[in-house]
Amino acid sequence: MAKNDNAHSIRLIESLRRNVGNSEAKEFEERYPLSKGANIEKKFEWVKSTCDYLEENFDTETIINLRKECKCNEGKSIANKILKYLNKENSIEQFVDAFNENETFAFLEYISDNKILFCYPQCYCACIKRVPEEVSRTWCYCTLGNAECIFKEVFKKDIKVTLLESIKTGGDKCVIEVEW
């Protein structure tokens, strides 16, 4: 059996186990192995196969929940960076402006005092960013998990996140609506 020790694969298998059961997780693990030594082309092909598998077997809500748990990190360092700006300003609009004046890894758009857009100017996903092809929106739902963790820490409230656009599905940027 092929080695299945890539962090992306491990996170997805664990998410499948928690959300839909051991048998589905085991089936995926056996059918779609990915080693940590896989090259970028192999990772990209694995991503496409993974999206096909998820879309053939689960509804959109389940896919979103599965992929949200596949976030690469909890976003604490980004949350701390964002909090610096939020704590210095008197309004959400001023916070957005201050963040955008100082940061380049992401930018914010003000919608209302309880809704912003969190935007990435480039794809940061190690599995797909270097391959100049598009992928299914299914893959990009993991960014919702990152955004949810980040802004739950920032606003200390439950957060609703919605993926509006992503670079790897043909968008100009990755855009997540964040509402609290």
Side-chain angles (χ1 to χ4, degrees):
M1 187 165 116
K3 222 174 191 180
N4 204 1
D5 58 359
N6 183 283
H8 293 278
S9 177
I10 292 168
R11 281 192 296 271
L12 184 54
I13 292 164
E14 289 306 312
S15 181
L16 284 162
R17 191 169 281 119
R18 283 188 299 274
N19 287 283
V20 295
N22 285 328
S23 62
E24 288 85 353
K26 184 98 174 122
E27 176 190 343
F28 178 84
E29 184 175 20
E30 290 172 0
R31 286 180 57 191
Y32 303 100
L34 184 66
S35 73
K36 62 182 169 186
N39 65 28
I40 60 171
E41 291 83 10
K42 175 73 174 158
K43 287 179 189 175
F44 192 82
E45 289 305 315
W46 178 83
V47 165
K48 291 191 327 187
S49 297
T50 295
C51 290
D52 289 344
Y53 170 82
L54 293 172
E55 291 162 5
E56 290 167 9
N57 289 284
F58 306 106
D59 61 40
T60 302
E61 183 179 341
T62 303
I63 291 170
I64 291 171
N65 289 332
L66 286 165
R67 293 293 299 135
K68 278 172 66 174
E69 288 191 20
C70 295
K71 60 193 173 291
C72 291
N73 63 61
E74 297 297 319
K76 295 225 184 272
S77 64
I78 294 173
N80 288 336
K81 188 177 281 203
I82 291 171
L83 272 167
K84 283 189 328 187
Y85 300 106
L86 181 64
N87 292 335
K88 288 181 183 176
E89 301 302 333
N90 296 319
S91 71
I92 298 297
E93 203 164 2
Q94 289 173 340
F95 148 66
V96 165
D97 290 342
F99 180 88
N100 290 338
E101 287 171 14
N102 293 287
E103 299 298 336
T104 58
F105 74 93
F107 61 95
L108 304 174
E109 292 182 26
Y110 175 82
I111 303 299
S112 69
D113 283 347
N114 70 331
K115 187 186 294 186
I116 59 174
L117 300 182
F118 182 53
C119 309
Y120 289 118
Q122 62 184 338
C123 176
Y124 292 115
C125 178
C127 282
I128 61 173
K129 69 182 179 182
R130 294 177 296 206
V131 176
E133 291 178 46
E134 292 183 8
V135 297
S136 168
R137 183 178 192 87
T138 289
W139 188 254
C140 299
Y141 287 134
C142 64
T143 197
L144 294 176
N146 283 4
E148 192 172 75
C149 284
I150 290 166
F151 288 99
K152 193 171 193 172
E153 181 74 21
V154 168
F155 294 116
K156 308 293 187 216
K157 297 180 179 183
D158 285 336
I159 301 295
K160 179 183 175 200
V161 288
T162 307
L163 181 64
L164 302 180
E165 179 180 346
S166 76
I167 292 166
K168 292 304 281 187
T169 61
D172 295 326
K173 57 192 172 284
C174 296
V175 181
I176 301 111
E177 181 181 79
V178 180
E179 188 172 5
W180 62 97

